[in-house]
Amino acid sequence: MKITVKLFAGFRNDRFKVDDLEFPENATVVDVLDALKINSPELGVAMINGRHVTREHVLADGETLSLFPKVGGG
Amino acid sequence: MNKIYRVNMKDLTCKIEDVPAAWVGLGGRGLTSNIVAAEVPPTCHPLGPNNKLVFAPGLLTGTPAAQSGRMSAGAKSPLTGTIKESNAGGTSAQQFAKLGIKAMIIEGQPAEGKWYELHVNNDGVTFHDASALKGKQNFAVIDAMNAKYSPKIGVVTIGVPGEERLKSANISVKDPDQKLRSHGRGGLGAVMGSKGVKVITIDDSAGKKVEIADPEKFRAAAKVFAKAMLDHPVTGEGLPIYGTNVLINIINEAGGLPTKNFRYGTCEHHDKVSGETMHDVIAGRGGSTKHGCHAGCVIQCSQVYVDEKAEYITSGFEYETVWGLGINCMIEDLDDCARIDNAMDDIGIDSIEGAVILGTAMEAGVIPWGDGKECLRVMKEEIGKATPLGRILGNGTKSVGDAYGLTRVAVVKGQGIPAYDPRTIKGIGVTYAMSTMGADHTAGYAIATNILQVGGHVDPLKKDGQVELARNLCIATAAVDSTGMCIFVAFPALDIPECLPSLIDMINARYGINLSGDDVTDLGKSIMKTEKAFNDAAGFTKADDRLPEFFEYEPLPPHNMVWDFTGEELDEFWNF
Ligand code: SF4
């Protein structure tokens, strides 16, 4: 299935801003992190359609997954 | 820090007083709010003779503790009518601490039309005629004071909007690079102007090192604390590299980025003004992506933003300002936003209120949407010169809404709502509604837990747990605001178990006392209750602890949610 992955902040370094990637059915957020060689503890926030999802979230074809490292401001 | 400078602007005297027992354990916001509550009649006119302007460094200011150099300013706010505390970086707090000044209280008013420079040193305060500075904006005042004394002189100043007592006027403080930091929110610059004080200069050459009761214990705790700052990914990596503006993209993704004066929750051109883009622009042009607002900051969230010739445009260019200009006003050119930010620094108005004012002026049709050049002109030529239009705008978001008959006016208690939409980030909405200061995101930064997943996670789109979250954050923040620490210590404090205890250990070692974690929570509670009692006595009721009505009937795309807390639910906030 096709997943659009959007990366932010330091995750973009040596990777990309946005890309369409292929994953097997039932892939989770962790599978995407693994494919991108992002260590799971580095993940701050994962969102689909503006909603937070957990690392275990099972992705569906065509979804856009946004991945942020731990960031903050205020 | 064992003395209080009491400055009377009516008879131009300064008394040096001992610190009363009740105030010994207080600093920063805890001290300014207690002094204002004890000495200012809550119903007084904020610009009249009975209001007082109080400056107090934090409990740890002047020590080697990382992040501890913030100064609190307090008064009754002309913008909100509530009690107000606003803290800032810059050099003034550490200079006060070196001089042993626990607080400076400015009271009374001089004869009409007189302007003064207050010169602060080890012996007290002297009063100098400042009529030559009248009409000058902040950077010119800094130049004049540097020429009069030396670049080491501390400078606390107001621009023309402050002189003219406009409600968005801030108080600006010189930073280590001769630029500005601000006591931004609540119009405290107008209070300083109402006292005839154009500028405060601080000479700390006769100052001493701050005494520490138990230096060894202090050193050990300071080390743990600084390590926590550097170890946490937000303060150790995210903030120094991208600054606070890293939030544009994540708040946009979450659908809570108020766009075109709070019409939408996402913005198409968000990446043009995002933290990632800003980082690349600054780095590509040879500016600096890291910068501290005071000596002793190890996080360095700030930056120096330069133009294509690597010349300075602005610094301290924060997320809220970039959001307000770049997203809420739809100004897509980051350079334009930076120039407007610098103009707001120069004339001395709060850059959050200023940006929300501009968005509301666009709503009114006074400025075309997205017109950065016109915004710059309005700042310099209208608000900066206090023309009739400049006064309508410079008196705040609510003033603009009233003058033009608008309903989409984003304020709570008269103060402009910052960069997070309460309809889809509900925790911050509770903070806006209930804070003792009017709409203020820093009062209880629920974004951490709602969006950033620091200190756990509370779903931003649901009401569950938000009141409790906002309450706990507001209490903790009131305590942290008393230490002189910048707000960002909260990120490590929420996640790293030894961080908060090390902060408390530093306070204990500094003063030779024995506070527990519960004592610190109690301090936060008592500050909040003191502030609330002031507001109640000033005439505020539960009906004021509410968000503007339009949030209840205008759903915010893309989640299409409205603000749906009942009054009773919100009022639970004060149940502690
Ligand atoms: S992290 Fe930012 S706000 Fe805090 S002290 Fe450093 S520069 Fe100032």
Side-chain angles (χ1 to χ4, degrees):
Chain A
M1 61 181 179
K2 193 191 82 177
I3 300 292
T4 303
V5 179
K6 289 208 246 170
L7 300 179
F8 295 91
F11 282 175
R12 288 182 179 175
N13 297 340
D14 303 320
R15 295 196 188 89
F16 52 84
K17 249 165 122 164
V18 53
D19 203 358
D20 292 336
L21 303 176
E22 278 296 327
F23 289 94
E25 294 297 313
N26 295 324
T28 64
V29 174
V30 170
D31 294 327
V32 177
L33 293 175
D34 286 348
L36 295 172
K37 299 197 166 54
I38 293 172
N39 289 328
S40 183
E42 283 176 38
L43 179 71
V45 171
M47 275 193 245
I48 291 173
N49 293 334
R51 289 174 191 265
H52 290 75
V53 293
T54 63
R55 288 176 170 75
E56 293 73 39
H57 179 85
V58 179
L59 300 162
D61 187 33
E63 277 182 338
T64 298
L65 173 68
S66 300
L67 298 173
F68 297 83
K70 293 186 171 145
V71 293
Chain B
M1 289 190 278
N2 52 10
K3 50 192 182 186
I4 289 185
Y5 284 9
R6 189 177 290 277
V7 175
N8 186 315
M9 293 308 298
K10 183 155 187 268
D11 52 20
L12 303 182
T13 55
C14 170
K15 279 198 250 152
I16 302 181
E17 300 175 352
D18 293 335
V19 179
W23 295 348
V24 169
L26 298 173
R29 172 174 167 188
L31 188 52
T32 61
S33 285
N34 269 282
I35 293 176
V36 171
E39 299 194 0
V40 174
T43 51
C44 77
H45 195 295
L47 302 177
N50 293 321
N51 199 5
K52 300 189 184 190
L53 179 61
V54 184
F55 291 95
L59 284 168
L60 287 169
T61 305
T63 71
Q67 314 308 125
S68 65
R70 309 270 302 178
M71 176 76 110
S72 287
K76 175 171 174 171
S77 160
L79 185 73
T80 62
T82 64
I83 199 166
K84 176 60 67 175
E85 184 265 358
S86 173
N87 62 71
T91 64
S92 65
Q94 286 162 333
Q95 291 178 307
F96 266 46
K98 271 178 76 182
L99 291 167
I101 306 169
K102 193 164 173 78
M104 182 162 90
I105 305 170
I106 303 175
E107 51 194 36
Q109 275 175 329
E112 193 118 356
K114 294 272 195 198
W115 289 99
Y116 292 94
E117 171 206 341
L118 306 186
H119 185 65
V120 178
N121 63 21
N122 208 26
D123 303 321
V125 174
T126 47
F127 300 80
H128 304 262
D129 176 35
S131 36
L133 296 174
K134 183 176 159 26
K136 285 202 195 311
Q137 308 291 20
N138 286 323
F139 289 120
V141 173
I142 288 186
D143 289 346
M145 294 301 102
N146 285 350
K148 180 174 175 183
Y149 300 99
S150 87
K152 284 203 183 127
I153 195 78
V155 182
V156 179
T157 162
I158 55 170
V160 171
E163 290 175 15
E164 296 296 330
R165 302 169 307 285
L166 302 187
K167 294 179 186 180
S168 64
N170 67 18
I171 297 176
S172 299
V173 186
K174 194 170 86 171
D175 76 6
D177 295 327
Q178 312 293 334
K179 301 298 184 198
L180 294 173
R181 296 284 144 174
S182 332
H183 298 281
R185 309 229 68 190
L188 295 182
V191 180
M192 187 155 142
S194 77
K195 307 259 171 240
V197 179
K198 174 69 182 174
V199 61
I200 301 166
T201 50
I202 310 160
D203 173 4
D204 67 354
S205 52
K208 291 201 275 300
K209 255 173 105 173
V210 165
E211 275 171 39
I212 292 173
D214 186 343
E216 214 154 293
K217 184 174 164 192
F218 188 93
R219 248 192 314 275
K223 223 170 124 185
V224 175
F225 183 76
K227 186 169 179 305
M229 297 299 120
L230 296 173
D231 282 353
H232 194 275
V234 170
T235 43
E237 218 177 294
L239 280 170
I241 297 177
Y242 298 104
T244 55
N245 198 31
V246 73
L247 292 174
I248 291 269
N249 281 339
I250 193 164
I251 305 297
N252 183 69
E253 283 298 310
L257 189 71
T259 301
K260 206 172 183 187
N261 195 31
F262 293 81
R263 275 179 177 72
Y264 317 109
T266 55
C267 176
E268 248 172 52
H269 66 260
H270 63 98
D271 209 32
K272 289 191 180 169
V273 296
S274 71
E276 288 89 336
T277 302
M278 186 158 122
H279 169 270
D280 294 348
V281 168
I282 294 175
R285 290 174 175 179
S288 69
T289 51
K290 273 192 199 185
H291 183 252
C293 70
H294 70 268
C297 164
V298 300
I299 304 174
Q300 309 226 315
C301 78
S302 189
Q303 68 308 98
V304 180
Y305 188 94
V306 296
D307 66 13
E308 273 157 357
K309 296 187 198 109
E311 281 181 27
Y312 180 92
I313 300 183
T314 197
S315 52
F317 194 24
E318 303 302 338
Y319 164 65
E320 280 72 21
T321 311
V322 179
W323 155 77
L325 300 170
I327 306 289
N328 206 38
C329 292
M330 312 286 283
I331 301 169
E332 298 186 21
D333 183 336
L334 197 52
D335 286 359
D336 281 352
C337 297
R339 289 200 171 87
I340 299 164
D341 181 60
N342 183 247
M344 291 195 280
D345 277 356
D346 191 31
I347 68 173
I349 69 163
D350 174 24
S351 65
I352 298 180
E353 195 67 38
V356 184
I357 286 169
L358 291 173
T360 312
M362 289 175 176
E363 180 88 37
V366 177
I367 302 172
W369 289 106
D371 191 341
K373 306 284 185 287
E374 176 62 6
C375 286
L376 186 61
R377 190 198 69 77
V378 164
M379 277 300 154
K380 290 183 171 178
E381 303 300 323
E382 306 285 352
I383 302 178
K385 291 186 175 158
T387 62
L389 174 64
R391 286 173 186 277
I392 289 172
L393 301 184
N395 269 324
T397 306
K398 180 170 183 297
S399 159
V400 183
D402 287 346
Y404 290 92
L406 307 176
T407 52
R408 198 184 287 111
V409 182
V411 297
V412 179
K413 301 184 179 76
Q415 182 164 285
I417 293 182
Y420 316 88
D421 201 291
R423 285 164 286 191
T424 45
I425 313 178
K426 295 191 185 288
I428 201 72
V430 178
T431 295
Y432 294 156
M434 307 311 290
S435 150
T436 50
M437 309 272 158
D440 177 357
H441 63 292
T442 65
Y445 194 61
I447 304 306
T449 321
N450 275 181
I451 302 291
L452 307 171
Q453 306 198 128
V454 174
H457 183 61
V458 174
D459 187 341
L461 299 166
K462 298 210 181 102
K463 293 202 281 182
D464 310 278
Q466 306 290 9
V467 171
E468 194 188 352
L469 173 69
R471 181 201 296 134
N472 289 340
L473 288 168
C474 285
I475 290 169
T477 305
V480 170
D481 282 345
S482 304
T483 60
M485 292 281 162
C486 98
I487 186 85
F488 299 131
V489 309
F491 290 111
L494 285 165
D495 275 345
I496 300 179
E498 47 288 2
C499 180
L500 203 54
S502 68
L503 175 56
I504 299 169
D505 282 348
M506 288 194 290
I507 299 172
N508 287 337
R510 158 79 171 87
Y511 294 95
I513 52 176
N514 216 343
L515 295 178
S516 67
D518 285 347
D519 293 334
V520 174
T521 308
D522 288 345
L523 172 69
K525 287 182 181 168
S526 106
I527 294 167
M528 296 271 297
K529 291 199 164 158
T530 301
E531 292 169 346
K532 168 89 159 41
F534 181 95
N535 292 349
D536 288 352
F540 284 84
T541 67
K542 288 174 181 174
D544 297 297
D545 291 343
R546 303 291 181 257
L547 296 189
E549 190 191 12
F550 80 89
F551 287 123
E552 293 171 16
Y553 59 73
E554 281 191 11
L556 185 76
H559 294 299
N560 295 314
M561 298 189 79
V562 293
W563 176 250
D564 51 359
F565 277 90
T566 65
E568 294 75 57
E569 286 167 342
L570 287 172
D571 295 337
E572 272 301 301
F573 177 93
W574 283 108
N575 198 359
F576 64 87

